[in-house]
Amino acid sequence: VKIFSRREIQVWNAQTRFLSLTSSSSKDAAATSNIDVWSWVPPRDHKQELPSKDNYVIPTLPGIPITTDEVKLALEAQGAENVLILDLKGRLSNISHFVIGSGRSTRHIRKMCESIVTAMKARNWKQASGTAGIEGEKHDEWQLVDCNNFLVHLLLPKTRAQIDLEGHWNKDVLPTIQFSTNEKEYEANFQRLLEENPCPLEYMKEEDFGKPVALTRVRKL
């Protein structure tokens, strides 16, 4: 006859109770043996999880204007490259910032522009003319969305390099023209401005050659 120590008996009893609770009849065993079964559940983290860069979508907040940061996050989530926010405060009367980004194709650019227009419509932000649609045709290499107090420019990488909005608006002194109600005087001033600040040759299209005035009429907005 084997004599068990008190410690061995305690271990055996503990193992027996554990096996009985984990068996198919665990509920009955727990009830008949008058054993309370406790389980530990980790506390919830009630801090709001911030959306990641990869799945961010501009939230629907009716009546609230979208921000440049929201647009930047949404563009990056859709694969836009080199997205930056250009501060223009004090340089333009009604525009505080540009959001500039590059797309892989004109279709990609269009899709991103449409997402911003959709977000503004969802917020019922009618003050922004961009709710009416995108500026530029669907196959254009440069498309724009007006978000009321800031503009979103989406371009193909080569087009962005040619136009160089960042370089243009970072200049200390920008080309300007004095407005005149006299049409001939204004056209003369405008032509002189174009001659002093010509459009890059690489941005001109072959069918435009022979039209020097039309070629250089590129608004950097």
Side-chain angles (χ1 to χ4, degrees):
V1 177
K2 184 176 180 180
I3 300 175
F4 294 92
S5 66
R6 179 180 295 181
R7 178 60 180 166
E8 289 176 322
I9 295 172
Q10 290 174 341
V11 171
W12 183 85
N13 287 334
Q15 291 175 337
T16 303
R17 286 197 300 270
F18 176 77
L19 291 174
S20 66
L21 291 174
T22 55
S23 66
S24 59
S25 58
S26 59
K27 291 184 179 180
D28 295 335
T32 55
S33 59
N34 197 27
I35 296 176
D36 292 327
V37 181
W38 295 86
S39 60
W40 182 81
V41 178
R44 289 186 179 181
D45 184 2
H46 292 288
K47 294 182 180 180
Q48 184 179 4
E49 294 184 4
L50 295 177
S52 70
K53 179 179 175 181
D54 296 330
N55 60 11
Y56 182 81
V57 176
I58 297 176
T60 302
L61 302 170
I64 304 298
I66 63 174
T67 67
T68 54
D69 289 333
E70 287 176 324
V71 169
K72 184 176 186 294
L73 282 172
L75 293 177
E76 290 174 338
Q78 295 177 77
E81 301 173 349
N82 302 320
V83 182
L84 63 83
I85 299 174
L86 190 62
D87 191 341
L88 298 174
K89 292 175 183 175
R91 311 204 76 175
L92 293 172
S93 59
N94 59 339
I95 299 296
S96 62
H97 294 85
F98 283 171
V99 180
I100 306 173
S102 301
R104 298 184 299 271
S105 64
T106 56
R107 184 177 179 180
H108 183 209
I109 289 172
R110 196 69 175 184
K111 183 179 179 181
M112 291 189 290
C113 286
E114 288 173 348
S115 72
I116 298 171
V117 172
T118 300
M120 288 194 294
K121 287 181 177 179
R123 291 193 177 187
N124 199 27
W125 187 241
K126 296 179 181 179
Q127 290 89 332
S129 62
T131 55
I134 303 164
E135 295 188 30
E137 300 299 326
K138 63 180 181 179
H139 296 301
D140 286 352
E141 299 177 0
W142 176 11
Q143 301 179 37
L144 181 150
V145 179
D146 187 336
C147 300
N148 190 41
N149 63 327
F150 68 92
L151 301 178
V152 180
H153 299 269
L154 294 175
L155 312 88
L156 291 182
K158 63 172 185 174
T159 308
R160 180 175 178 177
Q162 292 166 357
I163 296 176
D164 190 21
L165 288 172
E166 300 96 312
H168 174 79
W169 286 101
N170 278 321
K171 292 179 181 177
D172 293 331
V173 180
L174 293 175
T176 58
I177 181 173
Q178 186 173 359
F179 179 75
S180 174
T181 54
N182 185 307
E183 185 176 350
K184 289 185 178 181
E185 180 181 350
Y186 178 77
E187 285 293 336
N189 291 338
F190 192 74
Q191 181 60 37
R192 183 168 58 253
L193 181 70
L194 295 175
E195 292 171 356
E196 295 172 354
N197 302 273
C199 177
L201 287 174
E202 59 269 24
Y203 189 68
M204 298 181 182
K205 295 182 179 180
E206 185 177 351
E207 60 267 26
D208 289 328
F209 281 97
K211 305 175 184 178
V213 175
L215 279 174
T216 51
R217 290 196 177 187
V218 176
R219 291 183 63 198
K220 294 215 171 184
L221 284 178

